[in-house]
Amino acid sequence: MLQRYSSIQFEAERILAVVQIYLDELFIDALKEAPPEVVLEPLKALRSTIDEKYAEYRDLSFTIDKLEQKMRKEDE
């Protein structure tokens, strides 16, 4: 639905809200394409509340890494 009717740039805040409630891996993955300035810090804050042994921690870490790479490329 997102790819067909909208874009991650417009829906990032809504998807972030879903992630903050449900920690769904598909929504976490979708945020890799979000504007880092919108979602990066909230995702880091969310990750800090989850123990490293959980899959959600790894999912969030992967997405955070991708967003940080994206920010570095934008800064170049």
Side-chain angles (χ1 to χ4, degrees):
M1 295 279 291
L2 177 65
Q3 292 175 342
R4 179 172 233 163
Y5 297 109
S6 191
S7 72
I8 191 68
Q9 284 70 27
F10 294 116
E11 304 296 338
E13 290 180 5
R14 289 180 186 90
I15 295 171
L16 177 61
V18 170
V19 167
Q20 291 170 320
I21 296 169
Y22 299 108
L23 290 174
D24 184 276
E25 67 186 88
L26 294 175
F27 288 101
I28 293 170
D29 189 59
L31 288 176
K32 289 188 303 194
E33 302 302 321
E37 60 275 3
V38 174
V39 299
L40 187 56
E41 291 308 314
L43 288 177
K44 287 180 179 180
L46 179 61
R47 182 180 62 178
S48 72
T49 67
I50 301 170
D51 196 300
E52 290 182 31
K53 66 182 179 182
Y54 294 109
E56 293 84 358
Y57 184 93
R58 290 187 299 279
D59 295 338
L60 285 167
S61 294
F62 183 74
T63 297
I64 288 167
D65 290 345
K66 291 294 182 182
L67 290 166
E68 288 176 336
Q69 289 173 6
K70 190 175 180 179
M71 280 190 78
R72 283 192 295 273
K73 285 182 182 178
E74 289 174 2
D75 289 341
E76 292 176 356

